[in-house]
Amino acid sequence: MKRTLLRTTFLAVLLAAVSPVLFADQWTEPTKEELTMTSQEGYPGVPAVYLNREEVTVDKLHMWSVYVRLKVLTEKGKDYANVELKYASFRSGAGYTVTNIEGRTIHPDGKIIPFTGKPYEKLIERTQGYQGYKAMSKVFTMPDVEVGSILEYRYTLRYDDNYYYSPDWYVQSELYLRKGHYVWKPTSQQLVSKRGSREQFTNSLGWFPVLPAGASVHQTQLPPTNLDRDGQLILDLDVHDIPPSPHEEHMPPISSFTYRVLFYYSPYRSSEEFWRQEGKFWSKDRDKFIGPGSKVSAAVSQLTAGSKTQDEKLRKIYAAVMQMENTDYTRTRERSEDKAEGLGTIHDTDDILERKRGNGDQLAQLFVAMARAAGMKAYLFAVTNRDRSLFTDYYLSMSQLDDDVAVVNVDGKEMFFDPGSRYCPYGHLDWKHTNAGGIRQAEGGTVIANTPGESFTFSRTQRIADLKMDEHGEVSGIVKMTYMGHPAIEWRHRALVGDSESLQRELRTNLEDLLPGGMKVDVVSILQMEDYEKPLVVQFDIKGGIGTPTGKRLFVPADLFVANEKSLFPHEKRDLAVYFEYGNIVQDAVRIRFPQNIKAESVPEVYKDQFEKSIAYALTNDQSADSVTMRRDFDLGSFFFEKKEYPALRAFYGKTEAKDQEKLVLITSPVNTPVATN
């Protein structure tokens, strides 16, 4: 959390009596154009538009105030009448609450309906420990909203008097913004950044801007007064006509590209100093937790007894950690539950080992502790998850780091591990932790670094169908789906958050979505679900029609598994780079055996193509007198393509998608029915 503690509380007590309302009581009178508008020029079909959005943070009042005017343009836009305002609190008193909610709805004819309801509170998340974090939200619904209405509301976030929070201005959102106004009036008081028992005096503030051309944060220094001897610093930003955030197929993490300004208080004067010092403190805190302690050391000694190599020892350690309960996929225990089991507060990895459970970061730290206890050099690496954002060292905040992974020197070679990601194989990382930036421990200190990428051959999906067609053109048989690498991890993670029935339903639905419509699909078996070092294998029984009859001919998809695929890149123009989650291989094989009255008249020709040296495609066939086998291989060797490559990439996908839609043409003859004789 970006919070700082006021050394003296006199000013906070004095300002607590100040009125919390930062905006004038008067509402904005809508213009005729605003009342009658039915769309936003240049963006047809958008559900709603922000007419105005204002955010004002005044540190002296320990408040952040928000004012919104939103125009509803479609039925879907009416969903914005439901407003959810999130806030958080800590047992220490830090955090903030939502107050002073006011609003009104204005119909296109000018009729005004005031908001008179009472917001209700909803618990989002609660954690235990000394922090006692609790995430909440206040939810309310604007009254009598219809297409054409203007929604106008305001609220304030009230901070604890002993804390300050630097604001983040997220200028670009899913809606068009006509006018935005953002203000921060930071305190001039001496602040203390506190993390655990460590305190640092804050002597500067900074910000990380991503803004459109012509927009910038302005600074105004007011002259000193009797009440403020240093004079008030004002930071403000005015923007207009901000388009909705882009939504494109396979685009990079959007939070790294939308217009925004992220502020922070800092005791440092440069980014180099920040990461050097914060890295040192982070590493020291983590090492204090990691240890290893006596319990971890004793357990490792017993676990690795008889092992001859470091790799052999580490495999046993990894397997032991992977067998523990990962509460990221189950639930965090309440303190009362730990107390009932005779367990105290978690202080170090000995406590995690004793519980045989922990969250992903705690399990990663336990793995590092056990590797160190086995005599290996092991380090922690905190990364920004690639499914959410991209790390940047220009943003001076540890809050951008999400998860911990481990680095261990095994027999003279550094290897990367992901014990906090359940079912991730030994020596690999979950895809969101590959090619990810962050900060890591190293010999002699910490460094900014990136995790390695993963070969596309690690992730593989094999889809095999062995089918028999009857004389009416319907097929029945088995489908075998084999998942390796990241696809296997994803399905295993899904299994953790549901029961066996929900998993089977998801597997069945996934196959039904691939196959021609109307087919009956049943899950027969799921093999090696928990054996993360082996492929996950799922077998199905399927039955139903797969082709379109035309006279004596039956047109059947050459590859049943891509029968329903749509164009991956339907839009000619693109604003962002193309970003797949990870490289992978998909291999399909479909064999159909025919009855005597059905023959293959034609099959799609063999076709092979590739894009640069990054993607390869092949469609081949194998025919016999009574069967046809179609094979399709698609190798995605890279997960990132620059915007300038998009036209050629789109053309390549267009050709392969056209080939995928070619049909297997079958010709039928009448079924000979035996004639009864006397």
Side-chain angles (χ1 to χ4, degrees), residues 64 215 500 504 603:
W64 170 38
S500 59
Q504 290 196 29
V603 298

Side-chain angles (χ1 to χ4, degrees), residues 465-575:
D466 189 4
L467 308 175
K468 183 177 182 180
M469 180 175 285
D470 66 19
E471 62 271 18
H472 304 294
E474 289 197 351
V475 298
S476 60
I478 63 170
V479 168
K480 181 180 177 182
M481 307 285 277
T482 303
Y483 302 100
M484 292 164 272
H486 298 308
I489 295 172
E490 290 170 2
W491 276 113
R492 286 171 169 139
H493 284 179
R494 290 193 196 185
L496 290 170
V497 297
D499 56 21
S500 59
E501 184 178 341
S502 64
L503 174 63
Q504 290 196 29
R505 182 169 58 249
E506 283 194 69
L507 288 165
R508 185 173 61 251
T509 301
N510 177 70
L511 182 55
E512 288 172 345
D513 290 342
L514 297 176
L515 299 175
M519 298 202 73
K520 186 177 184 298
V521 177
D522 293 307
V523 178
V524 176
S525 63
I526 304 173
L527 304 177
Q528 298 161 181
M529 174 57 75
E530 297 186 2
D531 193 344
Y532 54 88
E533 296 293 355
K534 295 181 179 179
L536 171 64
V537 182
V538 185
Q539 185 166 309
F540 304 83
D541 278 343
I542 69 170
K543 185 177 182 179
I546 60 172
T548 303
T550 303
K552 294 183 178 181
R553 289 176 173 81
L554 185 66
F555 294 86
V556 175
D559 183 351
L560 298 182
F561 298 113
V562 294
N564 298 324
E565 284 196 356
K566 307 297 182 183
S567 174
L568 193 64
F569 300 113
H571 302 107
E572 184 177 353
K573 296 182 179 179
R574 188 176 179 91
D575 294 323

